[in-house]
Amino acid sequence: MEENKVQVGQEQAENTVEQGKKLPAEVSVWTKIKNFLCQEIKVEMTPKQAKVLQEVHDFWHQEITGKDVHDFLFQEITAQQMKDFWFQKIDITL
């Protein structure tokens, strides 16, 4: 039985050498790390997550001009606007 295993192993090794493929004797630590870090991942999102991601994408890629920046920095702020902002009612929903 062991003779058969040895013969099969030798035949496989000879076939591999004949094909020009030399495989490493053992897998190195670096190869294990590389295989782990470079593995393919699949991300699936719920429709709500996809909507939020699209909103964030749209926010970061919106067109901003110098006039928009100027208008934001030099907008008029009144005491009533500050009061409304600081004392606004916030509803927390989960």
Side-chain angles (χ1 to χ4, degrees):
M1 188 68 98
E2 288 183 26
E3 293 175 8
N4 290 339
K5 289 181 184 177
V6 172
Q7 289 176 353
V8 171
Q10 288 174 348
E11 290 173 7
Q12 288 176 350
E14 290 171 2
N15 290 339
T16 303
V17 172
E18 288 174 6
Q19 294 172 358
K21 297 178 183 176
K22 293 185 179 180
L23 301 175
E26 64 180 62
V27 179
S28 68
V29 175
W30 170 245
T31 304
K32 290 179 183 179
I33 293 171
K34 183 182 74 163
N35 290 341
F36 176 76
L37 294 176
C38 298
Q39 64 185 336
E40 186 174 331
I41 58 171
K42 184 176 181 181
V43 177
E44 295 181 11
M45 295 187 291
T46 64
K48 187 174 182 179
Q49 291 171 328
K51 181 183 174 221
V52 169
L53 182 64
Q54 184 63 43
E55 290 174 357
V56 169
H57 176 270
D58 293 343
F59 174 78
W60 282 110
H61 292 91
Q62 64 184 333
E63 185 88 19
I64 299 176
T65 63
K67 184 175 181 343
D68 294 333
V69 174
H70 178 271
D71 292 345
F72 175 76
L73 293 176
F74 294 101
Q75 64 184 331
E76 186 175 332
I77 300 174
T78 64
Q80 183 62 38
Q81 289 174 329
M82 287 177 30
K83 180 183 173 194
D84 293 343
F85 175 76
W86 287 107
F87 296 109
Q88 64 185 325
K89 183 179 179 184
I90 299 174
D91 294 329
I92 300 174
T93 59
L94 298 176

